[in-house]
């Protein structure tokens, strides 16, 4: 497939997406807590309650702006792990690239394509674009 005159290998884009999900999972596991919840505090502020499923120590954070606390609470490790599992099994699995024989009428050559979208995969490329600030992201992948 060619975008802007530069060939895009869907297997590279897909591998990049898989690696970013692995990064998110690893980060969520390193937190050391399973759940982070924004809890009302004083004068319209909140703090975060950090909890472990194994009954280990829980903690609370210092006072935070309520909107910031809500945002952080919505990205707790359990939710990140559930979201990455969903994205891996539903989105990326459906768009995993496969090797097929491409025939241009004169010659048959191997070609990597998306099993759902063929030689163009806006889903995988759009997913990769979510990580466009990552140093390994290639601008040529942008859908």
């Amino acid at each position: 497939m060619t975008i802007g005159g530069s060939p895009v290998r869907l297997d590279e884009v897909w591998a990049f997406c898989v690696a970013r999900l692995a990064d998110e999972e690893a980060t969520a596991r390193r937190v050391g807590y399973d759940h982070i919840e924004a809890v009302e505090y004083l004068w319209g502020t909140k703090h975060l309650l950090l909890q472990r499923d194994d009954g280990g120590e829980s903690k609370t954070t210092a006072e935070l702006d309520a909107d910031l606390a809500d945002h952080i609470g919505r990205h707790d490790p359990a939710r990140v792990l559930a979201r990455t599992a969903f994205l891996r099994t539903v989105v990326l699995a459906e768009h995993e690239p496969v090797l097929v024989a491409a025939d241009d009428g004169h010659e048959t050559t191997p070609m990597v394509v998306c099993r759902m979208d063929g030689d163009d995969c806006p889903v995988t490329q759009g997913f990769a674009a979510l990580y466009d600030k990552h140093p390994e992201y290639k601008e040529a992948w942008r859908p």
Side-chain angles (χ1 to χ4, degrees), residues 54-121:
D54 65 5
E57 175 188 15
S58 291
K59 278 186 174 180
T60 56
T61 64
E63 175 181 357
L64 295 171
D65 172 78
D67 292 333
L68 176 60
D70 287 340
H71 176 74
I72 294 169
R74 285 187 177 93
H75 296 280
D76 78 322
R79 186 172 181 176
V80 169
L81 294 173
R83 184 178 58 79
T84 55
F86 172 81
L87 290 170
R88 180 177 288 110
T89 59
V90 175
V91 177
L92 288 182
E94 289 290 322
H95 295 271
E96 184 173 3
V98 294
L99 187 62
V100 298
D103 188 351
D104 67 1
H106 303 288
E107 180 178 24
T108 301
T109 58
M111 181 177 174
V112 176
V113 299
C114 170
R115 63 169 152 206
M116 296 293 289
D117 298 316
D119 66 346
D120 187 22
C121 186

Side-chain angles (χ1 to χ4, degrees), residues 4 13 25 31-32 36 39 45 56 76 81 87 91 108 110-111 128 134:
V13 180
E25 286 176 329
V31 168
I36 300 174
V39 180
T45 62
D76 78 322
L81 294 173
L87 290 170
V91 177
T108 301
M111 181 177 174
H134 191 280

Side-chain angles (χ1 to χ4, degrees), residues 17 24 43:
C17 294
E24 287 193 27
W43 302 288

